[in-house]
Amino acid sequence: MRGTQVTDNILPEQEELSFDDFKSIIISDYKIAYESRQASLLGRKEVLTGKAKFGIFGDGKEVAQLALAKAFKAGDWRSGYYRDQTFMLAAGMLTMPEFFAQLYANTDTDADPGSGGRQMNCHFATRLLDEHGNWMDNTKTKNSSADISPTGGQMGRLVGLALASKLFRNNSELEYLKNFSVNGNEVAFGTIGNASTSEGIFFESVNAAGVLQIPMAISIWDDAYGISVPAEYQTTKQDISEILKGFQRDEKGEGYEIFKVRGWDYPGLCETYEKAIKICRDQHIPVMIHVTEMTQPQGHSTSGSHERYKDKARIAWEVEYDCMLQMRKWMIESAISTEEELTEIEITAKAYIRDCQKKAWADFNSLMKSELEAVVEIIQGTNDQELINAANALKASVDPSRKDVTGMVRHAIRMLRNDHSEAKQELQNWYQQQHDSNFERYNSKLFTGSLESPLNVKAILPEYNDDSKVVDGREILNACFDSNFSRDARILAFGEDVGAIGDVNQGFAGLQAKYGKRRITDTGIREMTIVGQGIGLAMRGLRPIAEIQYLDYLLFALNILSDDLATLSYRTKGRQKAPLIVRTRGHRLEGIWHSGSPMGVIINSLRGVHVCVPRNMTQAAGMYNTLLRGDEPALVIECLNGYRLKEKLPSNIGEFTVELGKAEIIREGSDMTIVSYGSTLRIVEQAAEELEKMGINVEIVDPQTFLPFDLDNLCSQSLRKTSKLLVVGEDVPGGSSAFILQQVLEGQNGYQYLDGKPRTLTGKPHRTPYGSDGDYFSKPSVDDVIEMVYEMMNESAPDKFPKLF
């Protein structure tokens, strides 16, 4: 089971390093690795005894991560996964008390600065922002983008983190961004398990980095399994570096440098990482380090035991080639340390880890206990003996949780519903205070909420004069982008066909020639990595616009958008952000794959991303102007059939703004409120003309954005006047229309103004077939709108509006 050795068994030479210094470094490394192993072992016990809910650890990967940490410098970036605890400890990006605080889900950000208890253990992040949401100097810190659990999901973001270094090195216009780069010398380090290299996003990202030739260093931790599934089911030839040989640099210098080294070989690992990262950093060449013969002593996680799926021979090999045991053996054989010295280090380390765990648990419990004591004292002031007994029982229980305490209070308030005592009032006051605190602990920071939030960008109306031209909608966008690119050197755009031809609908036409290929560029067909690339660039202070050619194809990138971008602010409690703008186009056209409007999917998947649905290109331009002055992520969906419709070109094309969350009444009326968005608004407007001739006067409301939705409750205000509601959209039944109904009827209390059943007019529950007839019979038409409005009027006034059919 021994792999191929590629590196020699020697440590990298270091000038003027005495043998004592050499010994000290290695002994310190061993101590860190041993402490990490003990933390893994103790962490598992804490889960199995019920103190923590779930545990996934980095045992078996310690030695390789020591070598990785040596090559990781201030200003560098990590985009990794949940096995990297030893690296984080060795690099000084994690302390042992923080490790246990995260395991217990401590919501105090001083205890768990990476996520405030929101992430499962071993999902790491460093603070990129201060408490006000402003960027800190990331060149002076070692940086970790926030981990996500979906395996492989970190790879797309890694491309962008690395590409930023190349842009900083090669674009002199970015030199003023001193807090983000030092001449592009930063390396983006990615880590991934061997089984996860089977993911499509891995191959997308590897290919993209090879095309871009960026300083990206991928470490593949290969322990021959993916949970219970061995490599023979995961990887062709059971060897990822073997099948990626075609990426090896050729005589032209294009491609990767690929290294292979054993995970228990400390000196070989140190030499490999020093050599690989020097190439990566100096030459901006992507490198891949395939670390083989790794082990996983405790199995995948606390959810099960690896003895269920590994045979005795494999387990025996893993015991013998445990990296900690092999490093220990090498240290003794090389006279770097003795058995006695190492035993003493190990005894001290075990005691230290236990002390850290005890303190972390005590800190976690202290606030909980004070909350419990306060509640018990209040309940003891009631006359309800049953409640008093229950409170005393909870106080006597082992390690009650905040859930237990809060549940007790809510139960008590219900039981005392007819009581008017002071104790009941105290319980209500306590609950309200804790409700606010718990929102901050568990529900806050879906968006940054900083002073730079796009919600703080005030509306500036478009200006027109007698000389204002009437142009195609695409020319409105083109002028908007031109103005913004000239204003801000941080802005860049990329996607399929964006560069040379200026995108398929000409929004960027001519701009690559004006601003260069570094700022407006084509990409390959790789939606997941296009979005991931945008996330990484945005995390490094740039302002990317990532284009997905059609809304239908956004689904290819939905996992990256939903798992990574939408949760970033939340899962770091506002200490990381990625103000990426994703630009796409959709709604009406012809054909199954070019007429999509899956808004329900998008709205429900992208909480944490602003979702903009402009009805025309002037509105879209105003939204881009707003978003590019804010610091939060957004998706802008342009109307696919609106690029050649005529619009008046504002004289302040790069300055006027559209406020997010501000709905607009685009036609006033008294008989019915119609809420619609995007392309169907034109359908509704056309229908309104004929309806007026039939004696029906409709009011049309355009929400403009879904997230946020109508912050001023304009929809319910309209219902006060009309008492009737119709929602028109192109999504499937129960998609975006259901969201709008929930927002208006429940969120805005619009139900109380209705005098009849609210209705929805949507697309059919299938994709749109090809051709104009397919569109007509599958999506709302002018005829459909007219007839549904008329039917609703017939229900309330049948004499005035007799049935049509």
Side-chain angles (χ1 to χ4, degrees):
M1 302 183 74
R2 297 166 67 93
T4 302
Q5 175 68 3
V6 175
T7 59
D8 296 326
N9 259 359
I10 58 172
L11 280 170
E13 293 183 6
Q14 299 186 44
E15 293 181 5
E16 300 179 3
L17 184 67
S18 69
F19 185 68
D20 287 341
D21 290 338
F22 174 76
K23 286 177 56 176
S24 177
I25 291 170
I26 297 172
I27 290 171
S28 176
D29 278 355
Y30 182 77
K31 176 175 176 291
I32 291 169
Y34 193 84
E35 289 173 351
S36 181
R37 175 63 63 86
Q38 294 306 306
S40 296
L41 297 172
L42 184 54
R44 182 180 179 85
K45 290 179 181 177
E46 291 299 279
V47 175
L48 297 180
T49 56
K51 288 183 178 178
K53 287 294 183 181
F54 178 79
I56 195 160
F57 304 102
D59 47 302
K61 316 295 188 290
E62 294 91 350
V63 174
Q65 291 178 22
L66 294 173
L68 172 58
K70 290 179 184 298
F72 198 93
K73 308 298 181 186
D76 285 345
W77 286 79
R78 168 186 172 273
S79 183
Y81 89 130
Y82 44 72
R83 300 292 183 195
D84 291 349
Q85 73 194 50
T86 305
F87 162 76
M88 293 293 292
L89 292 163
M93 300 159 73
L94 175 75
T95 68
M96 201 57 76
E98 290 168 355
F99 171 87
F100 284 105
Q102 187 187 51
L103 182 68
Y104 299 134
N106 192 323
T107 58
D108 185 347
T109 52
D110 289 333
D112 175 17
S115 74
R118 295 179 177 184
Q119 289 264 55
M120 289 197 299
N121 80 298
C122 285
H123 290 66
F124 301 115
T126 55
R127 291 180 174 179
L128 309 180
L129 311 173
D130 64 20
E131 64 273 19
H132 304 297
N134 301 313
W135 293 107
M136 301 185 336
D137 188 344
N138 302 148
T139 66
K140 292 182 169 59
T141 56
K142 296 178 179 179
N143 309 297
S144 177
S145 58
D147 291 348
I148 56 177
S149 290
T151 58
Q154 70 275 20
M155 294 299 297
R157 180 197 332 138
L158 176 64
V159 173
L161 293 171
L163 177 58
S165 289
K166 183 171 184 175
L167 294 173
F168 282 123
R169 179 173 288 187
N170 294 301
N171 186 353
S172 60
E173 291 183 325
L174 300 176
E175 287 181 358
Y176 75 97
L177 297 171
K178 302 296 185 184
N179 285 357
F180 295 99
S181 181
V182 179
N183 194 38
N185 292 330
E186 305 80 23
V187 171
F189 290 75
T191 62
I192 189 168
N194 62 296
S196 298
T197 63
S198 302
E199 297 269 14
I201 183 62
F202 173 79
F203 285 94
E204 260 198 32
S205 301
V206 167
N207 183 56
V211 170
L212 294 167
Q213 290 293 278
I214 52 179
M216 184 171 106
I218 306 171
S219 295
I220 301 169
W221 309 141
D222 190 346
D223 57 28
Y225 283 84
I227 307 184
S228 67
V229 180
E232 63 187 281
Y233 296 107
Q234 302 277 4
T235 310
T236 302
K237 300 182 180 180
Q238 303 181 43
D239 190 324
I240 187 63
S241 59
E242 179 69 21
I243 65 172
L244 293 178
K245 279 183 176 179
F247 284 94
Q248 176 65 46
R249 274 204 295 174
D250 56 18
E251 62 277 2
K252 297 179 182 179
E254 297 176 351
Y256 279 74
E257 283 293 345
I258 301 177
F259 300 83
K260 195 171 185 180
V261 60
R262 295 175 297 201
W264 48 265
D265 181 1
Y266 174 81
L269 285 159
C270 291
E271 181 188 25
T272 298
Y273 272 97
E274 183 187 49
K275 181 178 180 181
I277 303 307
K278 180 173 176 53
I279 293 170
C280 190
R281 193 183 304 280
D282 294 348
Q283 301 178 43
H284 276 196
I285 298 298
V287 299
M288 185 182 304
I289 302 100
H290 181 194
V291 185
T292 64
E293 298 192 26
M294 286 186 141
T295 66
Q296 204 153 275
Q298 297 187 114
H300 175 74
S301 69
T302 53
S303 295
S305 170
H306 65 156
E307 285 84 2
R308 291 184 301 162
Y309 53 83
K310 291 178 183 174
D311 61 31
K312 291 181 179 178
R314 172 69 195 192
I315 291 176
W317 179 88
E318 290 196 9
V319 170
E320 180 181 0
Y321 282 92
D322 186 303
C323 63
M324 294 302 303
L325 181 63
Q326 288 292 321
M327 183 177 179
R328 191 181 198 277
K329 180 180 177 182
W330 172 79
M331 290 171 68
I332 294 172
E333 290 177 349
S334 304
I336 292 168
S337 189
T338 65
E339 174 77 35
E340 293 74 22
E341 289 172 338
L342 293 177
T343 298
E344 183 177 347
I345 289 171
E346 292 160 0
I347 292 171
T348 303
K350 287 180 181 179
Y352 169 69
I353 297 304
R354 176 58 77 177
D355 288 344
C356 288
Q357 175 268 318
K358 288 180 178 177
K359 184 178 185 309
W361 181 246
D363 291 344
F364 174 68
N365 266 330
S366 61
L367 186 57
M368 229 79 70
K369 288 180 178 178
S370 66
E371 292 174 12
L372 175 58
E373 288 170 0
V375 167
V376 171
E377 184 178 349
I378 296 171
I379 289 178
Q380 286 176 340
T382 69
N383 295 319
D384 192 312
Q385 191 59 48
E386 184 179 345
L387 286 178
I388 293 172
N389 292 340
N392 289 334
L394 183 60
K395 185 176 181 180
S397 65
V398 178
D399 303 323
S401 67
R402 181 168 283 122
K403 169 189 170 184
D404 297 326
V405 178
T406 304
M408 164 66 70
V409 172
R410 296 172 75 175
H411 174 72
I413 291 172
R414 293 195 299 270
M415 294 301 101
L416 297 172
R417 60 190 178 277
N418 297 318
D419 195 307
H420 303 288
S421 66
E422 183 178 337
K424 177 191 172 183
Q425 184 62 53
E426 286 186 60
L427 284 172
Q428 290 173 325
N429 293 341
W430 183 95
Y431 175 73
Q432 187 56 56
Q433 180 183 0
Q434 289 299 314
H435 181 273
D436 296 340
S437 297
N438 287 332
F439 179 87
E440 175 60 30
R441 290 179 180 124
Y442 303 108
N443 310 118
S444 62
K445 296 296 182 182
L446 183 60
F447 291 94
T448 64
S450 73
L451 292 176
E452 292 186 66
S453 167
L455 297 182
N456 294 328
V457 177
K458 299 303 181 183
I460 299 175
L461 295 176
E463 297 175 359
Y464 302 97
N465 54 50
D466 293 339
D467 296 325
S468 295
K469 298 178 180 178
V470 176
V471 298
D472 288 348
R474 61 184 177 82
E475 295 178 76
I476 300 280
L477 288 175
N478 188 268
C480 169
F481 291 137
D482 189 6
S483 178
N484 279 287
F485 270 73
S486 66
R487 175 183 62 85
D488 191 343
R490 298 174 302 163
I491 301 174
L492 60 155
F494 49 88
E496 300 159 19
D497 299 307
V498 166
I501 68 170
D503 88 49
V504 293
N505 294 102
Q506 301 293 283
F508 287 104
L511 298 187
Q512 185 183 76
K514 185 172 182 179
Y515 296 103
K517 291 184 178 180
R518 295 191 185 98
R519 294 189 63 190
I520 300 174
T521 186
D522 292 312
T523 69
I525 301 175
R526 45 178 179 85
E527 285 82 5
M528 285 189 287
T529 312
I530 288 172
V531 171
Q533 177 176 315
I535 295 172
L537 290 168
M539 294 184 79
R540 295 198 61 186
L542 300 176
R543 297 308 313 268
I545 301 172
E547 179 171 311
I548 301 298
Q549 198 161 93
Y550 295 106
L551 184 55
D552 297 274
Y553 305 148
L554 190 79
L555 299 182
F556 280 97
L558 191 61
N559 56 338
I560 306 299
L561 285 164
S562 180
D563 295 331
D564 199 352
L565 182 63
T567 67
L568 180 61
S569 178
Y570 174 78
R571 73 181 190 268
T572 62
K573 211 166 186 179
R575 287 308 183 95
Q576 293 192 2
K577 62 183 177 182
L580 166 66
I581 297 173
V582 178
R583 177 193 182 217
T584 189
R585 52 192 66 84
H587 310 315
R588 305 187 83 95
L589 197 63
E590 296 177 356
I592 288 178
W593 312 117
H594 295 82
S595 57
S597 189
M599 298 308 303
V601 172
I602 289 167
I603 295 165
N604 291 317
S605 300
L606 300 188
R607 304 300 172 100
V609 174
H610 296 299
V611 176
C612 305
V613 283
R615 64 181 180 269
N616 57 39
M617 302 312 162
T618 302
Q619 295 300 97
M623 291 173 181
Y624 286 121
N625 290 336
T626 297
L627 294 168
L628 288 168
R629 288 163 174 78
D631 70 346
E632 295 172 348
L635 170 67
V636 181
I637 304 168
E638 298 162 12
C639 295
L640 189 50
N641 60 354
Y643 292 108
R644 297 193 180 277
L645 296 180
K646 300 298 182 181
E647 300 182 38
K648 208 170 186 180
L649 178 65
S651 58
N652 59 339
I653 186 61
E655 301 299 326
F656 80 93
T657 56
V658 172
E659 288 184 278
L660 304 189
K662 301 295 183 178
E664 182 178 357
I665 294 177
I666 61 175
R667 179 188 174 106
E668 293 191 356
S670 57
D671 293 326
M672 182 176 302
T673 298
I674 302 180
V675 181
S676 189
Y677 61 91
S679 293
T680 50
L681 276 167
R682 287 194 289 276
I683 300 294
V684 173
E685 286 182 289
Q686 292 173 40
E689 298 297 325
E690 183 172 334
L691 286 166
E692 187 171 26
K693 296 174 182 176
M694 301 171 73
I696 302 170
N697 191 5
V698 299
E699 183 152 288
I700 305 172
V701 182
D702 176 9
Q704 300 197 91
T705 62
F706 278 127
L707 301 176
F709 182 89
D710 187 12
L711 297 176
D712 295 331
N713 294 350
L714 200 63
C715 291
S716 63
Q717 291 176 35
S718 176
L719 285 182
R720 284 175 181 261
K721 179 169 49 173
T722 68
S723 301
K724 292 180 176 60
L725 175 62
L726 172 63
V727 176
V728 180
E730 298 180 60
D731 200 357
V732 297
S736 59
S737 58
F739 170 79
I740 293 172
L741 287 177
Q742 185 271 331
Q743 291 286 306
V744 176
L745 301 183
E746 182 182 2
Q748 300 182 8
N749 292 322
Y751 70 92
Q752 59 188 318
Y753 307 120
L754 295 177
D755 64 6
K757 182 174 69 173
R759 300 286 295 273
T760 64
L761 178 58
T762 70
K764 295 295 189 289
H766 55 71
R767 299 290 183 103
T768 306
Y770 177 60
S772 297
D773 289 343
D775 175 77
Y776 178 82
F777 289 102
S778 300
K779 292 207 171 187
S781 67
V782 173
D783 294 325
D784 293 330
V785 175
I786 293 169
E787 290 167 8
M788 180 163 282
V789 170
Y790 188 90
E791 181 182 331
M792 293 174 70
M793 296 302 294
N794 164 262
E795 291 171 359
S796 59
D799 293 338
K800 186 176 181 181
F801 302 103
K803 283 189 175 183
L804 296 176
F805 302 103

